[in-house]
Amino acid sequence: MNLYQLFSFSTARYPDKLALVQDTRKWSYSRLSDEVDKVASSLHRLGLKQGDRVMVLLKNRIETVVVFWAVQKLGAIFAPINLRASTEEILYCVNDLETRFIIFEDASKHLILNQKFSERPLLIGLEDSLGDFSYGELVKKGTTNVEPFSEQDDDIAVILYTSGTSGKPKGVPRSHKNEYAATIAHIIHSHYHTFEKTLGIPSLSHTIGLRSLLAMTYLNGAYFPVQSFDTYHTLKLIVEEEISCLFLTPTMYHEIVNYPQANTFDFSSIHSIVYSGGPMPAKLISKCDELMNPDFFVNLYGSTEIFTLSINQDIRNKPGSCGKAGINGRLKLLKLNRLLESHFDWVTESGEVGVILVDISSPEAFKGYWNRPDATKKSINNGWYFTGDVGYLDKEGELQVVGRTDDMIISCGENIYPQEIEKVLIDHPSVKEVVVVGEDDERYGQIVTAFIVTDEQELTPQMLDYFCKMDERLPNYKRPRNYIFVKNIPKNSAGKILRRELRDGKYEEVL
């Protein structure tokens, strides 16, 4: 099944059900389908063909959803780009995609106007007079009789660019089968049901955002696109619209539960909350549970390349655990000393740390990076995808992620993983956020440095060091040797921590 079929089936099934809500606009599936047809017919008239790439530089809004489905109807490829990308990154992606169309808005015009493209795409502005054509013109001049293309399962539906912490972004082609399989898995893992309501806060340029839209469409649910995350606005929407499920990053949940009047809002409509994009500290899990009291609290460990790596369907039972492989997959751990050898030597002992590999035959898995055979060769080997993450299986066979291979700290010949230390320090009542990195040291090779965010001016390195000494989870050689208090932790737009910036001294220290 291709994605447009998913949409058309849902529209035929419940045409009058609520599909999209943004401010005062409330669209049914039938209303949405009419606008999709009009935009698709106009794009087709302008020359958009099957397989063409459409770069989308829009915030989460109704028009973004319309463009997504219109592109799918024509068999073209939806390529959403993060609006926080630099003009240099945008230009790279335009050329990498050989983009035929760019659809943008006033907030993103600075990224593309007056750029020198290798081959200039057709520019379509959301507002009038921004590009060669406006979105309004597409709707006004469109018709509702354009025939859908018959894409195959393995045809590319979407290209998402990874928000890496260094180097050029990599395009991840996602086929119709990939997206369909990932959506079904997400619905099952998250315990969703028909007519759900969710907030579309994560951008459609991130796999979390796209998954929420597709899951709601499959279930004839309502999707509430949110242009920018604001904690108070989010809390109001949850109450006023009786939102039933959430799929957000840990950073977003942190902002919600720490809002000063959060406990005055009614969360009784929510039955399922899911997070991905990074670990969630135990005390944040506890706060979310206390405030929202969901029936299901799911930790989804995943990636852009393969949506579901593993799933813990109730994180409250074992904070920190990533659970077991999802319904479409299989994962194994490769011994660290076998990384560069031709055959695999798997970790077999409980507790032994290894590199996390995922079976590439999963229907959720991509087949390789866009125009990057070098990166593909590095990431896929003998039918396995190298996540770059490091972890171990506990006694119950559940996955515990301890860090990334490139974040590993080697001090006095010992391998140390940042998350092992972060899990301890975040339990200190005065620590709001913590990130651990390796700092070069002439004597030890590297030493453990902890960057701390706190509101308590009285907190000292000595107090934190004593706290670590008293915690039996942390051997002495893993204790931080340096504590730096900072105003905030640098993150990218997906909420991923930019450890490299901390290592490079790009932070504001609190003296």
Side-chain angles (χ1 to χ4, degrees):
M1 178 184 286
N2 64 51
L3 294 186
Y4 183 74
Q5 285 177 305
L6 183 156
F7 173 70
S8 63
F9 288 176
S10 291
T11 300
R13 191 164 51 241
Y14 291 105
D16 297 327
K17 272 292 181 181
L18 191 65
L20 289 174
V21 179
Q22 184 184 335
D23 301 324
T24 59
R25 293 192 288 173
K26 297 188 176 184
W27 286 16
S28 67
Y29 276 86
S30 177
R31 171 72 177 84
L32 172 59
S33 181
D34 284 345
E35 186 120 347
V36 167
D37 286 349
K38 291 174 182 177
V39 171
S41 68
S42 289
L43 290 174
H44 183 57
R45 190 182 65 254
L46 291 171
L48 183 63
K49 302 186 300 295
Q50 190 168 12
D52 285 346
R53 275 75 68 192
V54 180
M55 177 180 282
V56 178
L57 290 163
L58 299 174
K59 294 180 179 180
N60 279 10
R61 54 171 78 244
I62 283 179
E63 292 82 1
T64 316
V65 176
V66 172
V67 169
F68 175 80
W69 291 118
V71 168
Q72 299 308 317
K73 183 165 190 174
L74 295 177
I77 298 172
F78 184 82
I81 306 296
N82 193 323
L83 296 192
R84 295 185 183 180
S86 66
T87 53
E88 182 182 0
E89 289 172 324
I90 294 294
L91 191 58
Y92 170 82
C93 292
V94 170
N95 295 328
D96 188 45
L97 289 165
E98 297 180 325
T99 305
R100 290 291 311 280
F101 289 72
I102 298 179
I103 302 178
F104 67 106
E105 60 180 287
D106 187 67
S108 56
K109 66 182 180 182
H110 66 284
L111 295 170
I112 58 153
L113 294 183
N114 303 317
Q115 288 286 338
K116 293 182 178 179
F117 302 111
S118 299
E119 187 173 335
R120 187 183 181 281
L122 195 66
L123 303 180
I124 299 174
L126 184 63
E127 296 85 1
D128 293 341
S129 305
L130 271 185
D132 303 312
F133 297 90
S134 72
Y135 177 88
E137 288 178 283
L138 300 185
V139 176
K140 185 177 180 180
K141 297 179 180 179
T143 65
T144 58
N145 58 5
V146 62
E147 288 297 319
F149 281 70
S150 56
E151 304 97 323
Q152 302 303 307
D153 284 358
D154 289 327
D155 288 342
I156 299 171
V158 177
I159 295 178
L160 300 177
Y161 277 85
T162 56
S163 52
T165 56
S166 64
K168 292 179 179 178
K170 297 193 294 287
V172 180
R174 303 277 304 166
S175 70
H176 291 269
K177 180 171 68 176
N178 293 158
E179 290 300 291
Y180 186 80
T183 299
I184 297 300
H186 179 60
I187 289 169
I188 294 171
H189 293 147
S190 305
H191 304 272
Y192 289 170
H193 49 67
T194 313
F195 312 135
E196 295 279 11
K197 293 181 180 179
T198 199
L199 296 180
I201 297 176
S203 167
L204 294 187
S205 62
H206 300 303
T207 188
I208 294 176
L210 193 57
R211 196 63 49 233
S212 290
L213 171 63
L214 292 176
M216 292 306 103
T217 305
Y218 188 93
L219 296 168
N220 279 109
Y223 178 79
F224 293 71
V226 177
Q227 293 184 43
S228 57
F229 178 64
D230 175 83
T231 310
Y232 177 69
H233 179 59
T234 298
L235 289 165
K236 275 192 66 180
L237 278 174
I238 289 172
V239 175
E240 292 173 0
E241 302 293 351
E242 297 184 327
I243 299 301
S244 61
C245 56
L246 293 172
F247 186 21
L248 306 173
T249 65
T251 302
M252 292 171 181
Y253 285 115
H254 178 272
E255 295 304 310
I256 290 171
V257 300
N258 286 293
Y259 186 77
Q261 289 84 39
N263 60 359
T264 65
F265 289 82
D266 181 7
F267 293 90
S268 60
S269 62
I270 293 177
H271 74 91
S272 174
I273 62 175
V274 187
Y275 73 90
S276 190
M280 184 179 280
K283 63 183 179 183
L284 179 55
I285 292 170
S286 179
K287 280 187 175 182
C288 287
D289 185 36
E290 182 180 348
L291 185 68
M292 301 183 193
N293 190 29
D295 295 329
F296 304 100
F297 194 165
V298 181
N299 173 18
L300 188 151
Y301 167 53
S303 70
T304 306
E305 293 84 352
I306 305 177
F307 177 69
T308 313
L309 303 181
S310 69
I311 196 86
N312 182 337
Q313 298 198 54
D314 198 336
I315 193 66
R316 293 167 293 197
N317 293 332
K318 190 187 287 187
S321 169
C322 293
K324 297 192 177 187
I327 60 172
N328 285 324
R330 176 174 64 137
L331 57 82
K332 284 191 174 185
L333 301 183
L334 180 67
K335 290 191 176 182
L336 289 169
N337 62 347
R338 296 292 186 176
L339 274 175
L340 300 178
E341 297 190 16
S342 58
H343 76 280
F344 292 167
D345 191 1
W346 302 112
V347 168
T348 56
E349 296 181 15
S350 172
E352 183 180 355
V353 173
V355 181
I356 302 167
L357 272 60
V358 183
D359 192 331
I360 202 70
S361 67
S362 165
E364 298 183 40
F366 82 138
K367 301 305 179 191
Y369 295 102
W370 182 260
N371 291 337
R372 290 290 301 275
D374 57 327
T376 300
K377 186 177 180 180
K378 185 177 179 181
S379 297
I380 300 175
N381 192 348
N382 290 333
W384 292 90
Y385 168 66
F386 285 65
T387 65
D389 291 333
V390 178
Y392 65 91
L393 299 178
D394 62 21
K395 292 179 180 178
E396 288 78 34
E398 295 192 2
L399 180 66
Q400 302 278 346
V401 178
V402 297
R404 291 190 59 79
T405 53
D406 49 4
D407 291 333
M408 185 175 70
I409 302 165
I410 303 177
S411 184
C412 294
E414 298 283 357
N415 295 342
I416 301 172
Y417 298 97
Q419 284 191 26
E420 297 176 286
I421 306 161
E422 291 164 358
K423 285 180 180 179
V424 171
L425 282 169
I426 198 64
D427 285 344
H428 192 287
S430 297
V431 174
K432 288 180 64 179
E433 289 186 273
V434 56
V435 174
V436 168
V437 303
E439 184 179 357
D440 291 340
D441 182 81
E442 192 172 305
R443 180 179 180 186
Y444 299 107
Q446 287 182 305
I447 59 171
V448 176
T449 297
F451 290 85
I452 305 292
V453 177
T454 180
D455 291 332
E456 300 294 333
Q457 295 183 353
E458 296 79 13
L459 188 64
T460 66
Q462 291 77 18
M463 293 165 66
L464 291 172
D465 192 51
Y466 179 77
F467 184 79
C468 289
K469 279 183 181 179
M470 294 297 103
D471 196 301
E472 61 183 15
R473 292 173 292 175
L474 207 60
N476 278 336
Y477 74 89
K478 294 184 180 180
R479 278 175 27 229
R481 296 297 183 260
N482 189 20
Y483 293 89
I484 300 175
F485 295 94
V486 294
K487 289 190 174 180
N488 52 64
I489 300 296
K491 302 182 182 76
N492 65 18
S493 60
K496 292 181 181 178
I497 294 165
L498 300 175
R499 295 179 193 269
R500 182 179 293 276
E501 289 198 7
L502 294 172
R503 285 193 290 262
D504 292 344
K506 297 178 182 178
Y507 54 83
E508 191 173 354
E509 187 171 358
V510 177
L511 301 175

